[in-house]
């Protein structure tokens, strides 16, 4: 069992930045992959970025060159640095962790990009 606790969401102007954090606890040894997904109203949850224990990353095309995912294995924490934010980035952002047997999700944190 893995528990994920997110923080860092909020309201930001277009072009601004936010950093999301997700602290994992529980059976951390079983986690193979962590990452972030987001979901806007009326839309499906979509991948934003993922990162392995070794630091290999995957990004959605929409956030490449703007967002950076990182991971501190000692702190069992994954981060999402979000720069050059656009209104279309507005969504609930969910932390994600994958084990061999199932996926785990955080509670979600709201990111709103608006003037």
């Amino acid at each position: 069992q893995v528990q994920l606790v997110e923080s860092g969401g909020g309201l930001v102007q277009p072009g601004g930045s936010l950093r999301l954090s997700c602290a994992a606890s529980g059976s951390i040894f079983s986690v193979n992959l962590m990452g972030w997904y987001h979901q806007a109203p009326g839309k499906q949850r979509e991948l934003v970025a993922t990162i392995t224990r070794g630091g290999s990353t995957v990004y959605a095309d929409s956030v490449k060159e703007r967002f950076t995912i990182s991971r501190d294995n000692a702190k069992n924490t994954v981060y999402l640095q979000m720069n050059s934010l656009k209104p279309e980035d507005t969504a609930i952002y969910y932390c994600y962790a994958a084990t061999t047997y199932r996926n785990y999700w955080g509670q979600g944190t709201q990111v709103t990009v608006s003037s």
Side-chain angles (χ1 to χ4, degrees):
Q1 289 68 41
V2 176
Q3 295 78 46
L4 304 173
V5 179
E6 299 148 314
S7 62
L11 175 65
V12 66
Q13 294 184 355
S17 298
L18 287 172
R19 190 174 80 153
L20 307 183
S21 299
C22 174
S25 61
S27 300
I28 306 303
F29 66 90
S30 67
V31 174
N32 305 121
L33 186 73
M34 296 186 71
W36 295 91
Y37 285 65
H38 67 189
Q39 186 170 23
K43 303 291 183 64
Q44 290 189 333
R45 190 173 298 185
E46 297 180 332
L47 181 145
V48 176
T50 60
I51 187 167
T52 67
R53 284 183 179 269
S56 298
T57 58
V58 174
Y59 293 93
D61 287 342
S62 62
V63 306
K64 287 180 179 177
E65 308 300 328
R66 298 191 298 120
F67 293 7
T68 302
I69 189 169
S70 60
R71 183 170 179 170
D72 186 336
N73 290 327
K75 296 181 179 179
N76 299 317
T77 300
V78 65
Y79 305 94
L80 186 68
Q81 179 66 47
M82 309 165 68
N83 297 327
S84 302
L85 283 161
K86 304 174 180 179
E88 50 263 46
D89 296 318
T90 296
I92 301 174
Y93 284 71
Y94 295 91
C95 185
Y96 161 78
T99 69
T100 302
Y101 303 105
R102 63 161 290 179
N103 298 330
Y104 295 88
W105 299 95
Q107 78 283 1
T109 185
Q110 178 70 46
V111 171
T112 302
V113 185
S114 179
S115 298

